[in-house]
């Protein structure tokens, strides 16, 4: 058995979602290599960070990434395997990249209770505490609905410029 710890720079960007591991981001690896009958069992942990935007309010976010992986690298000539030992080496990139990309959140948030954007103004609600989360906007929505129906019947009365069309 052999253990190794080292850091590498990610070549190209990993991931296509709202957050991804950026090009040239640093990745720390702790790897354990075990010789087994069919090949080399590789297990370990990768740590890096993903950057992108919050899925609710679009602010920049940075997420720590910690993934564990384990895979058998088979000796060539045996049964077909996803990974093979090649020239006495194991190429970890595909394995670590796939594990990392799978661990990235689909809906990253800057904080668990991020209230998102105001549906009317597009401003971040977190920076505008008076507005509050969407649930408490209900009375205002009702008021807006009234305004809209008033405008339909009495077009000249509304002086507000809330019309968005
Ligand atoms: Zn947010």
């Amino acid at each position: 058995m052999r253990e190794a710890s080292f850091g590498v720079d990610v070549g190209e960007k990993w991931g296509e979602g709202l957050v991804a591991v950026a090009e040239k981001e640093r990745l720390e690896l702790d790897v354990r290599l075990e010789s087994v009958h069919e090949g080399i069992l590789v297990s370990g942990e990768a740590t890096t960070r993903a950057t992108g935007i919050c899925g609710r309010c679009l602010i920049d976010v940075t997420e720590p990434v910690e993934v564990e992986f384990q895979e058998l690298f088979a000796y060539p000539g045996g049964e077909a395997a996803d990974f093979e030992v090649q020239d006495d080496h194991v190429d970890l990139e595909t394995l670590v990249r796939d594990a990392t990309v799978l661990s990235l959140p689909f809906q990253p948030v800057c904080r668990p209770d991020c209230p998102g954007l105001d549906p009317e103004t597009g401003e971040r609600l977190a920076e505008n505490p008076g507005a509050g989360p969407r649930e408490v906007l209900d009375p205002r929505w009702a008021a807006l609905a009234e305004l809209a129906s008033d405008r339909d019947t009495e077009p000249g009365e509304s002086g507000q410029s809330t019309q968005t069309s």
Side-chain angles (χ1 to χ4, degrees), residues 54 56-57 59 110 114 124:
C54 170
R56 292 185 197 157
C57 71
I59 198 177
C110 58
C114 170
R124 292 186 63 227

Side-chain angles (χ1 to χ4, degrees), residues 11-33:
E12 295 176 349
K13 188 175 106 169
W14 285 1
E16 298 294 334
L18 291 175
V19 294
V21 180
E23 187 184 341
K24 299 206 169 68
E25 189 70 76
R26 194 71 177 164
L27 184 93
E28 299 293 335
L29 282 166
D30 287 309
V31 181
R32 199 169 67 211
L33 308 169

Side-chain angles (χ1 to χ4, degrees), residues 45-98:
E45 192 178 275
T47 14
T48 182
R49 61 174 193 161
T51 49
I53 55 171
C54 170
R56 292 185 197 157
C57 71
L58 312 183
I59 198 177
D60 288 347
V61 292
T62 301
E63 300 243 347
V65 176
E66 242 185 72
V67 288
E68 293 185 355
F69 52 87
Q70 184 175 62
E71 191 66 53
L72 175 72
F73 284 71
Y75 291 127
E79 286 181 29
D82 288 343
F83 296 94
E84 278 195 353
V85 179
Q86 289 179 336
D87 302 327
D88 291 333
H89 284 74
V90 291
D91 185 349
L92 297 177
E93 183 172 348
T94 305
L95 172 62
V96 175
R97 185 185 60 215
D98 289 353

